Amino acid sequence: MMQDIIQMALARGCQEAEVFEEKLLTTVVEYSNNRLKKVETAESHSVTLRVKKEGRLGFSTSTKPGDGAGLTERAIQAASFGRLVEFSFAAPGTIPAVESLDPLVEDLAVEEMVARGKEVVEALRALHPAFLASSRVAKSTNEVTVLNSRGLSGHYRRTGYSHSAGGRLVEGQNFLHVGEAHQSARQEDVSPALVEAIRWSFEKARNNVPLVSGKYQVILTPRATAAVLGPVLASLNGQALERGVSPFVAKQGQTLFDPRISLEDDALLPWGPGSRAMDDEGVPARRKPLVERGTIRNFFLDLATAQALGEEPNGSARRTAGIPAPGPTNLLMLPGQRSYGEMIGSLGQGFLIDMLMGAWAGNPYGGSVSGNVMLGYKIEDGQVVGRIKDTMCSVNAFQALKEQVVELSRERKWESAGGPNAPGGSLYLPYLWLDGVSISTRQG
Amino acid sequence: MKAFLTALVRGKPVDYLEIRLEESETTRVEFQGKRLENIGKSLSYGGNIRALVGGGWGFVSFNSLEGLEEKVDLAIRQARVAASLATEPVRLAQVPAVEDVVRVRPVVSPREINLERKKDLLEGYARLILNYSSEIVSASIRYFDKFSRLHFANSEGSYIEQEKMDMGCNVAATAAANGQSQSAHTGFGGSNDFSFIVGKEKEVEEVCHTAISLMRAEPIVGGQYPVILDPHLAGVFIHEAFGHLSESDGLHENENMRKVMTLGTRFGQEFLNVYDSGLDEGARGHLVYDDEGVRTQKTYLIKNGVLVGRLHSRETAGKMGEEPTGNARAITYQFPPIVRMRNTCIEPGEASFEDLLRGVNLGVYAKGAYGGQTNGEMFTFTAGEAYMIRNGQVAELVKDVTLTGNVFRTLKNIDLIGRDFTIFDSAGGCGKGGQMPLPVSHWAPHVRIQNVVIGGKK
């Protein structure tokens, strides 16, 4: 049927045609305020057609079953004003095998998801009589097909499993939010680990401690590290290079960061939450170094940006509302040697920053990352002594990763890139110790 | 359709059942860098069924209308699973059953404007940006218009057909030189008139000017300042800092939060008045019925500085023994409705801009917003552009200005409200519970706040 759409487009005079089809089945069990609130199932099926006609690109996407003719009509109409493109849709290639389909996810019963969610909520409720716990267990099966008029016919199925949990305690006008999340292509009961991590945060944050504005030694948790990497990932995006807004224009091969900073994108990582066999334009997925010991090596490229920059596409296309754009799959930051516990122990005076609110806002290409410390702790003599509040943490990401790196931990955690402008994908990141980090707080 | 949907939700063994179908057509035109990036029209079609049994909800969303009876059964089965662990039933606040048909009444409909005209208009702005100066390296223009038709039926006999229209356009210019880059942006939006994006040359040129000026601006020195917010940023502020706190799904099951938000509590000075309304035609937050079929209204949240109301779905209103306000909204058929804002406004005061500046020896004048976020107690947002105020005068442009604070303290620190209430819609949207971007509006005048913490590297 998808082939018919391609044939229909070619019969209407298109030079090339490409169909992207996605089927998604998601089941979610959600607890909030200590209670099981809802069980959800979402089935979705979308088809996107891109055509090239008289050198111009047109696209349309539809979730209406049997809308092939309408889709073709709208894509051709759009192509009459579309952008002139020189690239062709992806050539057929060898699609690698990736471990990303766990049959146990598909077989996982709703009752078991309910039980896992319950276990966490029950344990968290015990933290404090007024603590309101939440827990969300989700599973998904994603089926993607890309076909084009060059004979490409790629298809894969992948599974996803996630369990996030946390909660909040309100005492007077003092609010405390804590939370942890787990994601993988494989299902696994991680309830005890989630509870343990949340309990640690909760207990350390019960007591608010004062601080003075200044420049400090700071350890960022993997979640806060994700916020600091925001400008770097935005600037490694082929679109930012093509538009000339990335500070990495013409910097390939140059060392812009501390030699301990290495970033790679690995779509082939077994059971990674972002693992997949091909990208959303049908280009085979791969592992690629982005920053190697501080040196810029590769960018995220889809067909259009690769052509514009005179490079080969590298399997980075991701679609939002049908439109492809380059972005990460599994973004891995190489770890350090010591445990983060040892790092905290040897930090002396400083802060452990976990959740930064609003740090995504602003112009990413300038590197400014500034957020309210929604969850952060003061460290004195190598001990976490309490929670800090009413505080902004500000760094320039480019400068920090070049001049302020002290150490990276050997532990890593999976995080999602934060904020509405995030490029998607999953990030596997260590704890990051920086010096000279600006901390501003209220006076008096 | 009516007979089919009403029959489907009637007589099932549930406490409540609803079905929502949605068909929408979205046109997007996007210029990026130096050229047209995307142009196209897309169709979204789908629906959902939401069932309530005892204290549990089941929710099923789909694209295909085939096998709807089985989907109803699945939603009910899921609700029963959820109900099996529930400690108390959910009681929805009573609302009258409604039968209505709501059509959009556009001044100039974007559906009457052909794709070529839209492309030409936006291309004009892109060219204006790229030709403004050699320092400008990139233009970004993202335009969309969306027309939706919704069908809603519930087990209480309501049946509503409702059309909605939403439009937005974000315009950004980026200047770059010597490895440094700076962007400035503005946005426009509306719900009933394509003219919202016509004749914006002056605003587009101002964006270019700001981007270039930011290249020479110094980062702000972090600290605590008196801050004057322009109407756009004041709108984002009231949305983030107070609007989200008024959403009752954060209160209804949280005893301690209910104490914080006890009606009659003083939140600001005598002259602070805040409301949220679905009634403003032309606003992106304009809404006749919410996604539970409840008629919207103008809901006062703060009157004369005192908390007088909050935003409800039927579930939160039922739990708290208050009236539903028509704030249950879902971004698309793929999501259940949750409590959301519509058009959240600060009513005008009496101060002129000169009054606001008077007495500020060292402060910040912050305009426009890149975005903001809140956790209820703390808020943060990043200004689009900001100037120092020195000795009561607007002085030099500064960059990297992120404001933060405690919601309760900051509302009390509002010490002057301007008389220049400004009707303005941006192209962004509100995000909550994974539902982003929902069209909302926030109209406000200039506002002055004392003792705002601003982050800064210096």
Side-chain angles (χ1 to χ4, degrees), chain A residues 19-79:
Chain A
V19 167
F20 172 79
E21 182 188 26
E22 185 171 32
K23 291 180 185 169
L24 186 63
L25 180 64
T26 309
T27 306
V28 181
V29 168
E30 198 170 296
Y31 289 78
S32 61
N33 298 337
N34 296 341
R35 294 179 192 151
L36 176 57
K37 271 302 168 62
K38 62 183 181 198
V39 179
E40 271 184 41
T41 302
E43 279 175 44
S44 74
H45 181 190
S46 67
V47 180
T48 299
L49 172 67
R50 284 201 298 176
V51 299
K52 203 168 141 181
K53 191 165 190 279
E54 290 160 22
R56 290 181 185 276
L57 198 64
F59 97 98
S60 182
T61 178
S62 179
T63 64
K64 190 169 189 168
D67 188 36
L71 197 64
T72 310
E73 186 57 45
R74 289 190 300 273
I76 288 175
Q77 195 204 357

Side-chain angles (χ1 to χ4, degrees), chain A residues 27 31-33 35-46 56-65 67 74 77-79 81-84 110-111 114 118 130 132 168-177 215 239 242-247 251 304 308 321 323-324 356-363 365-366 368 370-372 374 387 389-392 394-396 399 420-421 438-444, chain B residues 23 25 28 30 32-33 35-46 55-65 71 74 78 81-83 85-88 115-116 119 137-138 142 174 176 179 181-183 222-224 245 249-257 260 315 319 333-334 336 370-380 382 400 402-406 408-409 412 436 453-458:
Chain A
T27 306
Y31 289 78
S32 61
N33 298 337
R35 294 179 192 151
L36 176 57
K37 271 302 168 62
K38 62 183 181 198
V39 179
E40 271 184 41
T41 302
E43 279 175 44
S44 74
H45 181 190
S46 67
R56 290 181 185 276
L57 198 64
F59 97 98
S60 182
T61 178
S62 179
T63 64
K64 190 169 189 168
D67 188 36
R74 289 190 300 273
Q77 195 204 357
F81 320 106
R83 120 193 199 201
L84 277 167
V110 170
E111 289 73 15
V114 167
K118 186 174 181 211
L132 291 174
R168 70 171 173 169
L169 178 66
V170 174
E171 291 176 299
Q173 291 183 351
N174 183 42
F175 293 26
L176 171 61
H177 294 252
K215 300 235 178 191
Q239 288 184 338
E242 183 190 349
R243 292 166 200 162
V245 297
S246 166
K251 297 283 165 65
I323 302 168
L356 279 175
M357 188 167 65
W360 44 266
N363 164 30
Y365 312 113
S368 171
S370 193
N372 179 296
M374 195 165 132
R387 181 185 180 197
K389 292 185 61 178
D390 287 303
T391 301
M392 291 291 289
S394 310
V395 298
N396 182 289
Q399 213 177 334
N421 310 319
S438 171
I439 298 283
S440 328
T441 188
R442 198 166 63 90
Q443 302 149 11
Chain B
E23 179 160 14
E25 195 177 271
R28 288 179 202 280
E30 185 182 342
Q32 291 291 352
R35 58 166 171 70
L36 179 69
E37 177 86 17
N38 278 302
I39 185 163
K41 219 181 242 187
S42 294
L43 200 67
S44 169
Y45 184 82
W57 288 103
F59 182 83
V60 173
S61 71
F62 46 83
N63 294 126
S64 166
L65 299 194
K71 285 164 185 158
L74 176 60
Q78 291 184 336
V81 170
L85 291 183
T87 46
E88 61 177 282
L115 204 52
E116 189 169 11
K119 189 205 83 170
V137 296
S138 179
R142 288 172 200 267
T174 304
S181 91
Q182 289 295 332
S183 290
Q224 190 167 300
L245 203 58
D249 50 351
L251 313 174
H252 75 301
E253 293 176 335
N254 190 333
E255 285 307 319
N256 289 353
M257 272 304 294
V260 172
E315 178 176 352
K319 172 84 183 175
Y333 64 87
Q334 291 163 302
Y370 256 115
Q373 199 173 344
T374 177
N375 71 344
E377 179 195 14
M378 307 297 292
F379 69 87
T380 172
T382 299
D400 301 342
T402 302
L403 305 92
T404 192
N406 173 288
F408 308 105
R409 215 157 34 218
K412 287 187 179 138
M436 162 93 195
V453 174
I454 295 186
K457 279 195 302 102
K458 277 197 182 169

